[in-house]
Amino acid sequence: MPDVGASMPAIDRQFLADTDEIVSFYDESFNLVDASAKHEETHAIDGLIEASLWHVYPELLAPGPRAAVDFVVAHGLPRSIEIADTTRNTRLTLIVFRTGSGLGVVEAQGSAIYREASTQGESDRALLLHQATHDVLTGLPNRRHFSDQLRSALPVPSGASLALMQIDLDDFKPINDTLGHGAGDIVLKMAADRIRSVLRDHEVAYRLAGDEFAVIQWRSDQPREAERLAEAIIAAFRPPFTVDGINAFVGASVGIAVAPADGNEIEQLMKAADIALYAAKTDGRNRARTFTRSMLIVLEQREMLRRSLRTALEEDQFFIEYQPLVGPSRAVEGFEALLRWRHPLIGIIPPSIFIPMAEADGLMSEIGQWLLEQACRTAMTWPPHFTVAVNLSPAEFLHAGLTDRVARILDLVGIRAERLELEITESVLLERTTNNLDTLNTLNVLGVQISLDDFGTYYSSLSYLKNFPFDTIKIDQYFIKDLEHDKKSQTIVRSIVALAHGLGMHVTAEGVETEGQMNWLRKEGCDRLQGYFLGFPLPAEAIGDFLRNASTVPADFPGLGADRNQALRPETR
């Protein structure tokens, strides 16, 4: 059969509804997936009810016709099969041909002797029609088919209900990045099969684009039935996808909207499903969320914040707080600069909310530059041995010109490079590894200290530690919170300390909130501690009082006794 996909014309979906052709399409399991309106009328089949090839044409189960069907499946060559239609007291010629994901059948009256010459043309025509409305890779109905189906189903009549599920694959991008697009295509095909495997009657899946899928479900008990199906889809994605012997884990997030409750027009319903999908993503992914009006309010608030964020820097709404970094003797060795946003109407906005917004909108580079310069200027008012730690977001780290910006700020402020510590997370090293290591090495040449933040919570590839000599590893507070009584946490923290010291690196533990945690970490040789037990984040103007306050800082701090004033003397340029 010729490759008709390359020259496929843009066949309108309306053609399938208006044509007099009796055409039907079946998946690899011989289940009916699509049919022309004429076919549905002729065979009295509800287009929304899944049927099989054997249900539509039971005569094909006879030995001769069945052998012809098996020949088409095995060899991909179209065949004309003559059967007796007892219901209409006539003989039919079925032109059976292969599609990308199953079989197609064109029905014509008359003897196969007179139809043989047109077999190829009929099958090509039907195949073109199928490809116009189906995804070539997965065999699922495509976006055009989805839009037409949803548009024809809405508005839902009184007393009925329809659920729309938007499905987005989680962690799919790393598959393409690490294993290649060929592996990505294999995963997409397997993903489509897994979605298809949990569908029942009155449920149809579609591939919209990339790793985006959708399901339309016609059931009365909504949203209960949609939530049941969504959980089945999520469960189907829990086993790994095996590609060339490699296990890849890809999850699914699902957003659910129900018509007519959440909208009875296509744009309204799709917007509701998109908002629910966004909620599923932001709640942690690999889960389903059903649309509620509160989600719309939250989204509108986020959009308002996003617009406000664009003017926050020029209107001086950002400020910095500094949390103490304490040595094993409980002496302050420096501070970490923590970015804060005070919205004029809402108040303090958590960094976990506004930093992802700034990254997505390309604002983090400008905000990060402001943070770095202000933190360095503040550090110039501290004792000359104090360091200042500044977090670099992944978007900021990947932005071109980072090293030039850091060098320029060091020169502008006049602070020694070794007093600046830049904290990065392992996530920034997942992309463009060679360029990332070049950036880290350049910063190292400048004399800036580099800290690997939140170690143990991401991918923790030891190759990072081998390829680049970080100055410091920061142990995430997740391992510190139950350190006093959890043996596993103790083993992990003890191993990280030994690993870092063996590689010539220092260790900082964050999230220290009790004296017991502090004593355990000091005993194990942790170089630096950070947490509420040792000091809360402070505004710059409160640091002097913090260092002088004997009730806040133990009186045995080195350098803060008789020579307190000398220790607090600002560094001069």
Side-chain angles (χ1 to χ4, degrees), residues 399-562:
H399 194 277
L402 171 67
T403 54
D404 291 338
R405 235 173 9 255
V406 172
R408 186 168 59 250
I409 289 174
L410 291 175
D411 291 339
L412 178 66
V413 176
I415 191 171
R416 300 195 315 274
E418 62 269 21
R419 292 189 60 197
L420 174 62
E421 180 178 335
L422 296 177
E423 296 186 2
I424 66 169
T425 62
E426 291 171 271
S427 60
V428 306
L429 302 178
L430 291 179
E431 299 183 23
R432 303 190 314 176
T433 302
T434 302
N435 290 344
N436 290 347
L437 293 179
D438 287 344
T439 298
L440 292 174
N441 280 302
T442 302
L443 292 171
N444 188 41
V445 170
L446 289 175
V448 174
Q449 297 186 60
I450 305 296
S451 174
L452 185 58
D453 197 10
D454 299 337
F455 184 79
T457 59
Y458 290 92
Y459 299 90
S460 302
S461 172
L462 299 184
S463 63
Y464 301 151
L465 303 183
K466 178 182 178 182
N467 293 329
F468 182 83
F470 292 96
D471 298 284
T472 301
I473 293 177
K474 291 193 74 173
I475 304 175
D476 187 73
Q477 59 186 345
Y478 172 80
F479 301 107
I480 305 301
K481 63 182 179 180
D482 53 4
L483 189 62
E484 296 176 72
H485 53 80
D486 185 78
K487 296 296 184 182
K488 291 182 179 179
S489 292
Q490 292 176 2
T491 300
I492 291 171
V493 172
R494 191 179 289 116
S495 299
I496 293 174
V497 172
L499 174 66
H501 288 170
L503 295 172
M505 304 175 191
H506 295 94
V507 181
T508 298
E510 58 184 1
V512 179
E513 297 184 354
T514 69
E515 185 174 9
Q517 293 170 352
M518 180 191 69
N519 291 334
W520 192 95
L521 290 164
R522 291 173 66 185
K523 179 182 176 182
E524 293 299 324
C526 192
D527 303 292
R528 206 167 54 177
L529 311 176
Q530 179 182 8
Y532 289 162
F533 179 76
L534 301 157
F536 288 87
L538 305 163
E541 56 271 19
I543 290 177
D545 289 340
F546 170 80
L547 294 173
R548 294 184 182 91
N549 191 340
S551 63
T552 303
V553 179
D556 61 352
F557 267 164
L560 294 183

Side-chain angles (χ1 to χ4, degrees), residues 380-392:
M380 290 292 288
T381 67
W382 303 340
H385 62 283
F386 277 21
T387 60
V388 58
V390 179
N391 286 279
L392 288 180

Side-chain angles (χ1 to χ4, degrees), residues 209-258:
D211 60 345
E212 301 173 15
F213 297 82
V215 170
I216 299 177
Q217 181 191 58
W218 290 263
R219 291 190 184 278
S220 58
D221 187 10
Q222 296 293 7
R224 184 174 179 178
E225 278 295 320
E227 291 169 348
R228 185 270 310 162
L229 176 57
E231 290 302 325
I233 291 172
I234 293 168
F237 277 78
R238 290 198 179 105
F241 292 80
T242 303
V243 182
D244 295 332
I246 300 174
N247 285 340
F249 291 88
V250 175
S253 294
V254 185
I256 302 169
V258 177

Side-chain angles (χ1 to χ4, degrees), residues 361-376:
D361 289 353
L363 302 174
M364 204 58 225
S365 179
E366 185 179 0
I367 295 173
Q369 181 172 330
W370 176 87
L371 170 64
L372 181 59
E373 181 175 340
Q374 294 301 313
C376 287

